[in-house]
Amino acid sequence: MKIIDVHTHPVFFGKGKTKPEVDQLVAYSKSLGIEKMVCLGDVLVHGPCPSAKELRAINEQTRQLLAWYPKFFIGFCYLNPTLGEKAIRQELDRCLAEGFQGIKLEIANNARDAVMTPLMRAAAAHDIPVLQHTWDTLGKPMRKTHSDPKDTCLLARRFPDVKIIMAHLYGFGLRGVLEAQDLPNLYIDTSSCLPFAGLIEYAVEKLGPERILYGSDIPIRELGQCIGRVTGSDIDESAKRKILYSNAHTFLNLA
């Protein structure tokens, strides 16, 4: 079964950036049926709120991966919305000129914050998707910057003309699936945490298979296990093919 992985960090805290390491990752991934990977960058190497200079260095590592394997890797530009509109526009324009195809957001701020507006307007203007780190944060001290599914869903409501990936199905769980139900521009990826029974099935039941994208979150997770969450789920083969490949193929305009 062909696979597109929409959530990967091939370079993670500085590891994985040499050509032999990348060669090994690509070969292993292809052996499992993975045809393409979306690279989201080494997002936490400089902490939760990287500077413009640090962002550029992270995105340059992604650009190097694209240069080595242009038919395998897809780059998303890592941005920090708190740096302001000018910095956002400069780095995004630079990345798009290098062939990047989306935006990655981590934990510099919460998805409901006003600083998101210039970035989301830029995404709409360029017609590119935004992948937002999302986690169940209710009652937890990380609430300020880790976006809860309520926050990411509010972002999708505020910007209905932007396609958004709410990352980490196994980090936001059943509640996140329910929050996402009435938002056609919001997709979820299957990344993060150990699997537990019935979650893929529940997401398919509530959202339909078309709004679910396979993601692994490597190297934090193991590829075989992440693929097995989908292939071992109690859904039909057509739904599995959509989640693993065809949804992402359409979402990323890979025709």
Side-chain angles (χ1 to χ4, degrees), residues 37-55:
M37 280 185 167
V38 173
C39 301
L40 304 176
D42 193 0
V43 293
L44 294 176
V45 67
H46 298 297
C49 199
S51 67
K53 182 178 179 181
E54 290 166 341
L55 283 173

Side-chain angles (χ1 to χ4, degrees), residues 3-255:
I3 302 168
I4 297 172
D5 192 333
V6 303
H7 194 130
T8 77
H9 303 277
V11 182
F12 190 66
F13 284 95
K15 296 181 180 179
K17 63 185 178 182
T18 67
K19 184 64 162 54
E21 289 172 309
V22 177
D23 292 343
Q24 184 177 25
L25 171 64
V26 172
Y28 176 56
S29 301
K30 288 184 175 181
S31 76
L32 297 175
I34 297 172
E35 295 194 348
K36 293 183 183 293
M37 280 185 167
V38 173
C39 301
L40 304 176
D42 193 0
V43 293
L44 294 176
V45 67
H46 298 297
C49 199
S51 67
K53 182 178 179 181
E54 290 166 341
L55 283 173
R56 184 183 179 103
I58 292 168
N59 290 324
E60 274 299 293
Q61 288 179 343
T62 298
R63 185 200 59 78
Q64 179 62 76
L65 299 182
L66 300 185
W68 283 335
Y69 286 96
K71 294 184 179 180
F72 185 79
F73 289 119
I74 296 167
F76 271 35
C77 179
Y78 179 37
L79 294 174
N80 176 357
T82 70
L83 296 179
E85 183 171 8
K86 182 178 179 181
I88 289 168
R89 291 278 185 172
Q90 281 185 335
E91 184 60 9
L92 179 59
D93 288 348
R94 188 184 75 83
C95 287
L96 292 177
E98 295 286 355
F100 287 51
Q101 296 180 38
I103 295 171
K104 160 62 175 170
L105 301 176
E106 188 69 14
I107 56 172
N109 62 281
N110 190 288
R112 67 172 56 239
D113 293 348
V115 294
M116 295 290 286
T117 298
L119 182 145
M120 296 301 289
R121 287 176 177 168
H126 290 288
D127 192 24
I128 54 174
V130 173
L131 189 149
Q132 171 67 61
H133 170 94
T134 309
W135 209 264
D136 181 0
T137 67
L138 290 184
K140 300 173 184 177
M142 61 185 186
R143 179 79 176 88
K144 184 176 180 180
T145 55
H146 284 258
S147 299
D148 185 80
K150 280 184 174 291
D151 304 319
T152 301
C153 290
L154 175 62
L155 182 70
R157 288 189 180 92
R158 290 174 58 207
F159 298 95
D161 53 345
V162 178
K163 293 190 297 185
I164 297 171
I165 302 174
M166 185 163 73
H168 306 313
L169 171 60
Y170 288 86
F172 56 71
L174 303 178
R175 187 169 62 83
V177 172
L178 290 175
E179 293 282 351
Q181 280 189 102
D182 63 342
L183 297 167
N185 63 317
L186 184 72
Y187 297 70
I188 65 173
D189 78 36
T190 63
S191 68
S192 195
C193 293
L194 294 173
F196 59 89
L199 187 52
I200 289 280
E201 292 86 343
Y202 186 78
V204 169
E205 176 188 346
K206 298 299 182 182
L207 304 178
E210 294 80 11
R211 288 174 55 201
I212 306 170
L213 306 169
Y214 167 75
S216 65
D217 212 4
I218 62 160
I220 308 169
R221 317 296 167 190
E222 206 286 317
L223 282 176
Q225 179 200 84
C226 295
I227 295 168
R229 296 175 186 179
V230 180
T231 58
S233 62
D234 187 18
I235 57 177
D236 63 40
E237 292 301 306
S238 174
K240 292 176 184 179
R241 286 193 293 271
K242 289 177 181 179
I243 293 169
L244 289 170
Y245 184 80
S246 60
N247 291 345
H249 194 273
T250 301
F251 183 91
L252 296 167
N253 297 316
L254 298 179

